[in-house]
Amino acid sequence: MWYVIQIMTGKEEMMREMITRNLPSKMYEDCFYIRRERIWRLNGEKVCHVETMFPGYLFVTTEDPEALYWKLREIPGLTKLLRTEESQFLSVSPEEQDFLEDLIDKDEEKIVRLSEVTLDEEKKILSAKGPLRKYVKQIVKKKIRLCYVMIEKELFGQKRKILIGIRTGKMKQKQDKV
């Protein structure tokens, strides 16, 4: 089962390394944070880069979250970064885990890749390949020119808007039957 550790935003890689260095590997299967591809415009060109998808969150797979929690408290600096004892270690529901696993590329990097979308002439999304393929109907905001859409999903105990990077395929033309 996945569990969420809240940490200081921007310290995801540093804390992941600290955990993997300081904790026995038998206490957990995996420790990671999820990243996503985004497209930015830089000097008139589109550039793909990778950023943290959920800043301030690490995910840990473990069978014994309580033992892991007490071991985490021994890591210098980490105890200050966790919330109160009631909410320091959030479990990811099976539905949330399925959703996140569906978004993540199947490699070890835990990256949500760009989704390729097909648009009509009004820039309505007709179809999508990649992480967005199952969630087109859940789009609550789209910025085609800025190469992203947002879907709304219940995650970690609250409703969240989740940004997914897109790239556009060729626009489909409407064909009138004569």
Side-chain angles (χ1 to χ4, degrees):
M1 189 164 198
W2 287 12
Y3 291 87
V4 180
I5 304 171
Q6 189 169 25
I7 60 167
M8 188 180 296
T9 300
K11 304 288 185 192
E12 295 84 10
E13 182 60 26
M14 182 188 83
M15 294 311 295
R16 187 195 67 74
E17 285 178 8
M18 234 183 207
I19 289 169
T20 57
R21 247 192 344 262
N22 294 307
L23 294 184
S25 59
K26 66 181 181 205
M27 294 197 81
Y28 65 96
E29 291 174 36
D30 199 5
C31 179
F32 61 93
Y33 59 103
I34 299 173
R35 299 178 300 154
R36 67 174 162 225
E37 290 182 334
R38 284 280 312 270
I39 293 182
W40 290 93
R41 291 186 186 269
L42 188 62
N43 298 325
E45 290 191 34
K46 290 182 180 180
V47 178
C48 184
H49 81 106
V50 177
E51 66 187 20
T52 303
M53 188 163 188
F54 301 108
Y57 290 99
L58 280 182
F59 297 86
V60 180
T61 308
T62 184
E63 296 293 322
D64 190 356
E66 183 142 347
L68 182 64
Y69 168 71
W70 289 109
K71 206 68 171 155
L72 285 171
R73 291 181 57 93
E74 296 173 10
I75 296 177
L78 187 60
T79 53
K80 294 180 201 163
L81 304 177
L82 297 175
R83 285 187 179 177
T84 65
E85 291 202 20
E86 296 82 52
S87 64
Q88 85 290 349
F89 222 59
L90 305 169
S91 65
V92 177
S93 74
E95 296 80 24
E96 292 171 335
Q97 186 172 333
D98 288 345
F99 168 71
L100 292 170
E101 286 176 336
D102 196 40
L103 292 181
I104 297 170
D105 197 26
K106 301 303 178 218
D107 63 14
E108 290 293 312
E109 295 184 54
K110 307 286 195 272
I111 296 176
V112 177
R113 302 286 179 195
L114 294 173
S115 288
E116 184 154 336
V117 297
T118 304
L119 306 171
D120 66 13
E121 60 273 358
E122 285 95 33
K123 296 198 177 189
K124 181 180 175 211
I125 297 174
L126 298 173
S127 65
K129 294 178 187 171
L132 189 59
R133 72 193 174 287
K134 293 182 183 176
Y135 306 102
V136 172
K137 290 184 180 356
Q138 294 178 12
I139 293 173
V140 294
K141 183 177 183 179
K142 62 181 179 176
K143 295 285 187 178
I144 303 300
R145 193 176 95 50
L146 298 176
C147 302
Y148 74 85
V149 298
M150 287 190 164
I151 61 174
E152 199 166 70
K153 193 80 173 158
E154 184 85 21
L155 271 181
F156 320 136
Q158 63 186 27
K159 204 166 256 213
R160 296 179 186 269
K161 289 190 173 139
I162 299 162
L163 185 143
I164 298 176
I166 61 169
R167 79 173 134 230
T168 56
K170 293 183 179 178
M171 290 178 62
K172 284 194 171 182
Q173 300 294 320
K174 276 189 182 174
Q175 293 186 358
D176 296 326
K177 293 192 175 185
V178 181

